[in-house]
Amino acid sequence: MKLGEALRLRSDNYKKIAELRTRAVASAQTQEGAEAPDDPAALLDTIERLWAETLVLVQRINRTNVLTVLPSGQPLVEALGERDFAHVALAGGST
């Protein structure tokens, strides 16, 4: 799997997890006697599976970032750190 694909899958998983959490809360807050729109247990199982899948993706992405060296000789992980620092600095020190 290419780095770009892993980054896209990670992003997709974060979005899916957020959506599923919202649905799980809505299902858990269904009034007594009313039928929940989704099975909260099934939603939680799916969330747990996505978290486990996302953890593997994040570990692979991080491993790639540590091992990749840019043509300038700078490790990719250092360049990413500099980019993140510049982003925070330009935002006035807040994230």
Side-chain angles (χ1 to χ4, degrees):
M1 173 182 310
K2 301 251 182 201
L3 180 58
E5 182 182 355
L7 292 168
R8 183 188 55 74
L9 284 172
R10 180 189 66 181
S11 176
D12 290 349
N13 281 0
Y14 285 151
K15 290 174 189 170
K16 288 177 192 173
I17 289 166
E19 177 194 336
L20 291 170
R21 289 173 106 176
T22 300
R23 288 172 49 194
V25 168
S27 292
Q29 293 177 342
T30 303
Q31 290 191 343
E32 188 175 327
E35 191 171 323
D38 293 295
D39 176 10
L43 292 173
L44 291 175
D45 287 344
T46 303
I47 290 169
E48 287 180 18
R49 181 186 55 76
L50 283 171
W51 271 126
E53 184 180 300
T54 304
L55 173 61
V56 171
L57 286 170
V58 168
Q59 289 170 332
R60 292 168 85 180
I61 290 165
N62 289 345
R63 191 174 307 114
T64 298
N65 290 347
V66 167
L67 297 174
T68 301
V69 177
L70 300 174
S72 66
Q74 181 183 31
L76 177 59
V77 72
E78 287 181 11
L80 292 171
E82 289 173 5
R83 180 204 61 193
D84 293 345
F85 179 79
H87 175 73
V88 170
L90 290 173
S94 63
T95 56

